[in-house]
Amino acid sequence: MYKTLTLKRGKEESLRRFHPWVFSGALVSMPGQNDDIEEGDIVRVEASDGTPMGVGHFQIGSIAVRMLSFDDIDITPEFYGEALRQAWLMRKALGLCRPDNTAFRLVHGEGDFLPGLVVDIYGDTAVLQAHSPGMHFAREIIAMQLTQIEGLDIRSVYYKSETTLPYKAHLDATNGYLIGHSESSVAVENGLKFNIDWLRGQKTGFFVDQRDNRMLLEHYSAGRRVLNMFCYTGGFSVYAMRGGAAQVHSVDSSSKAVALTDANIALNFPDDNRHEAFAEDAFKFLDNTAKGAYDLIILDPPAFAKHRSALRNALRGYQKLNAAGIAKVAPGGIVFTFSCSQAVSREQFRLAVFSAAAQTGRKVRILHQLTQPADHPVNIYHPEGEYLKGLALYVE
Ligand code: SAH
């Protein structure tokens, strides 16, 4: 039987609307040392009148419980198995698992009703990332259930949570294989090959969330001189090459990222001298770029605001970066600009880009409003899950 946490009066409303988080302030009291509840434990949540509200993972912090179910049930291995199967059925419906597309996100946390869990698939390898102690403790069960999903042929499961778990929880998670050991680390996205380094790379090794936006960019690449800022593994660069770009320059401050980009270009376009990568700071690079040197610029920086407290600075950062990009693109050029900060809303980002455009004085039109792809779904009860936003701009 799970331990019970009780909500203050009236604090059950958000759970009635299936919002998956219980904030610590909504609880009558946070469990103390005498309560025998540990971080990562499964707890029952009750309304003040004793009505059961469901079960979830307990955690010390402002989000105290991440709900797994709004019914008073046992969280068994089969519970995870069924949630994973539902996630897989949805990806199957999206047509994302094909010989020419082996990289996709299978589980997107709250978006798949599994708060705290991310699973990316690269061929027959699943990379599992826990963002909560509860999911960390469930990792072996989840890994085993992943290998049992019918139609999804997972042979290896790699666990990569050293940097995503709350470090105060002292879980000492180590990255490593939970099941098997992958032979190949090349995945295919829309027919393009990518070396995925889940051992050392950022996140799970690749940013699958830009897949649709890369496809769109490909359509605008023919004959253009392309600048891909914050290139990481060179995703946008590889698509621009296939789209027939006249020239592609990739920039990242990390020399490791530049090497990854060069390797991915070589994997798809060996001996093609249209591409060059530079290990440089993006702002400096743009400062030293002549006006009109590029016809298509991609700005896909890391999250400038990881928390709400950093919001003002982040918005200033977006404005500065976008002003530089819009100022430098050639007449008739296109700018793809993104923010992956969850703390920055779509409206705030648009306002920052608007201010940037106004600062340059150029005529700017919005061609496309961009977002995260369907394998990063937003749980309708949890709008906070919408994080990636972007604009494709036409600059006269
Ligand atoms: N566009 C990429 C993802 C970008 S991730 C994709 O489609 O996969 C953000 C990248 O920005 C990281 O690789 C990081 O090394 C790089 N970066 C961070 N700060 C930077 C800076 N000031 N100048 C250039 N690159 C930077």
Side-chain angles (χ1 to χ4, degrees), residues 7 79 101 131 166 175 181 186 194-196 199 212 216 266-267 288 296 299 305 333 347-348 378 389 391 393:
L7 297 168
F79 166 85
N101 195 86
H131 291 254
N175 294 343
H181 190 104
V186 174
F194 290 94
N195 292 296
I196 315 281
L199 270 57
D212 292 355
L216 182 67
L267 192 59
N288 298 328
L296 178 48
L299 305 171
E347 289 68 33
Q348 284 166 327
V378 181
K389 51 244 151 223
L391 295 168
L393 307 171

Side-chain angles (χ1 to χ4, degrees), residues 202 207 214 230-232 236 252-254 280-282 300 302:
Q202 299 177 47
F207 285 83
R214 291 178 189 134
F230 310 92
C231 63
Y232 185 35
F236 283 104
D252 200 290
S253 55
S254 144
E280 246 183 81
D281 174 76
D300 183 26

Side-chain angles (χ1 to χ4, degrees), residues 28-43:
V28 169
S29 66
M30 266 299 260
Q33 277 176 340
N34 304 328
D35 290 302
D36 205 19
I37 297 181
E38 308 259 349
E39 260 199 298
D41 281 355
I42 295 168
V43 291

